[in-house]
Amino acid sequence: MAGGLKGHAPPRADLAGKRVLFSAPRFFGYEQEIAAELHRRGAQVDFLADRPFDSPLLHAAARFSRRAVLLHTDRHYRRTMAGFDGGAYDHVLIVNGQTMPRALLAEIRRDNPHARFTLYMWDSLANRRDALGLLDLFDRAFSFDPDAARQHAMRFRPLFFAPAYEAPAEPQEIVHDLSFIGTAHTDRHAVVSRLDATLDPQVRRFWYLYLQARWVWLAYRLTNPAFRQAPMADFRFTPLPRAEGVRAFWQSRAILDIEHPRQTGLTIRTFDTLRARRKLVTTNAGIRDYALFDPALIQVIDRQAPRVDRSFLLEDAPGLEEAVRRRYSLAGWLDEVLAEADHSADHLA
């Protein structure tokens, strides 16, 4: 059996009759899964989307010049909140808070003096440094990145696997030995290309490198050296529908994970893969420091010279201990981010 944990799991968070203000980015439906889990616990949930716009241009502005979009999001959030039922909140749960104006959050805090305010960062603080200016407004602040948690006196809590990745009703035929589906930021295309060139021709691979628009590809070609030799044909400019992505996942023997170069935290893809008893091939060497690390299930590759053993891709994957499966479920994540006690140390070897 793969993996282990230290310490005891936090108690189940009882939210029956509680009112929760929840804000998170729209990201592959994970925000919907969190809201659904809050509802399952009996909470009334009011949702505010972080980065509440569909335009790739505004998404880029939010990333590179947060101030440029705060006036827009401040008006949007105030209009949205005016349509809520009213009444005091028991919990305010913010994921990332990239486009949450500090003044508005301070007003929400003032108007809800008995609410517990919780921040969870599922992006690297190296890429979301503006979030540091909000930390003092929260009772609890978590990061998925152990280095960031230590540096900024935050709690450390890894991510979770999503309910969508529970086993399908019908067994899926394995048609891919190795697959990658994800946004082609930073050097991901370069890593996939290097690895692809080393794979045995008999290894069945499936790559879906997504960019928001063709102009994003052009901008990266001009600004990112890793894109200088990246042909447009290697990219997809339409998000893969969730159902198709889930099907491709279950039809894969192993999943490739390429974390952002400026983060050490484990991606959601990591947990989805381990829960599903798929092999994980990852560039994140930090995974060796986690209590759940098992070399029979996880192979770490060098992003500059990636190679994976073909035998690793063909061997059966061991399963996770039941305690590990529960702890890294979405329900386990919610219990921990709402808990009084600090369980940061449980997750590291």
Side-chain angles (χ1 to χ4, degrees):
M1 300 289 281
L5 275 173
K6 300 182 293 184
H8 299 286
R12 178 178 170 82
D14 182 6
L15 298 174
K18 303 296 185 182
R19 193 156 179 255
V20 179
L21 179 63
F22 169 51
S23 176
R26 293 190 179 101
F27 183 72
F28 295 103
Y30 290 114
E31 78 289 352
Q32 298 173 30
E33 304 281 9
I34 295 172
E37 181 63 27
L38 291 166
H39 281 296
R40 278 191 289 271
R41 304 293 182 96
Q44 176 188 338
V45 182
D46 292 333
F47 177 69
L48 295 175
D50 193 24
R51 297 182 300 179
F53 28 69
D54 298 321
S55 163
L57 184 60
L58 284 176
H59 274 273
R63 178 175 184 133
F64 298 110
S65 180
R66 180 173 177 265
R67 291 182 181 179
V69 300
L70 288 184
L71 184 61
H72 169 83
T73 58
D74 185 81
R75 289 195 299 262
H76 172 83
Y77 290 148
R78 291 179 187 277
R79 286 196 303 267
T80 303
M81 293 181 69
F84 294 155
D85 290 342
Y89 290 109
D90 299 285
H91 292 276
V92 176
L93 175 59
I94 307 291
V95 175
N96 277 14
Q98 183 180 3
T99 58
M100 175 63 68
R102 178 182 171 85
L104 177 59
L105 184 60
E107 287 181 32
I108 297 171
R109 174 109 204 184
R110 181 198 64 203
D111 295 340
N112 296 271
H114 302 296
R116 175 183 291 176
F117 281 65
T118 303
L119 174 68
Y120 185 86
M121 295 300 301
W122 71 20
D123 272 345
S124 169
L125 278 166
N127 299 324
R128 302 283 184 262
R129 297 202 64 83
D130 289 312
L132 296 175
L134 303 176
L135 290 184
D136 62 302
L137 295 174
F138 291 93
D139 302 301
R140 302 280 188 272
F142 293 80
S143 175
F144 86 118
D145 188 318
D147 289 351
R150 283 189 292 266
Q151 183 178 354
H152 300 290
M154 302 168 73
R155 294 186 180 187
F156 169 54
R157 161 66 208 203
L159 284 160
F160 51 83
F161 62 83
Y165 287 91
E166 295 286 355
E170 297 294 330
Q172 299 291 300
E173 178 187 2
I174 298 298
V175 297
H176 314 301
D177 293 314
L178 182 62
S179 68
F180 176 85
I181 300 170
T183 305
H185 60 60
T186 57
D187 63 344
R188 278 181 165 177
H189 175 268
V191 174
V192 169
S193 297
R194 291 172 194 140
L195 179 60
D196 186 83
T198 70
L199 292 174
D200 188 295
Q202 295 181 336
V203 172
R204 299 167 296 175
R205 72 290 307 264
F206 176 72
W207 312 135
Y208 198 96
L209 291 152
Y210 167 70
L211 288 175
Q212 296 92 332
R214 285 174 173 78
W215 71 261
V216 175
W217 168 80
L218 180 58
Y220 280 161
R221 291 262 292 189
L222 296 174
T223 62
N224 185 344
F227 271 75
R228 296 285 159 77
Q229 304 300 320
M232 183 183 289
D234 285 359
F235 301 94
R236 302 293 180 267
F237 302 99
T238 303
L240 188 66
R242 186 169 177 80
E244 292 184 30
V246 171
R247 183 167 59 253
F249 176 91
W250 283 103
Q251 291 177 340
S252 300
R253 192 181 306 279
I255 306 298
L256 174 62
D257 170 63
I258 307 169
E259 91 287 6
H260 194 288
R262 290 192 290 178
Q263 76 183 43
T264 59
L266 303 183
T267 62
I268 285 180
R269 182 179 286 107
T270 298
F271 295 98
D272 290 340
T273 302
L274 299 182
R275 171 63 183 91
R277 293 190 64 177
R278 270 27 185 187
K279 292 291 188 75
L280 177 71
V281 177
T282 180
T283 54
N284 192 340
I287 198 170
R288 296 191 181 103
D289 298 328
Y290 285 71
L292 56 72
F293 179 70
D294 181 351
L297 187 59
I298 302 163
Q299 185 164 122
V300 177
I301 59 174
D302 184 336
R303 67 195 311 136
Q304 298 302 322
R307 299 189 72 88
V308 61
D309 298 332
R310 186 168 185 266
S311 60
F312 176 82
L313 298 177
L314 300 180
E315 295 168 356
D316 291 337
L320 288 176
E321 295 178 2
E322 180 61 20
V324 177
R325 188 200 66 79
R326 290 196 305 269
R327 194 67 173 275
Y328 293 116
S329 67
L330 175 54
W333 175 86
L334 185 62
D335 288 336
E336 192 163 333
V337 299
L338 296 182
E340 290 286 348
D342 185 352
H343 294 270
S344 301
D346 295 358
H347 306 286
L348 297 174

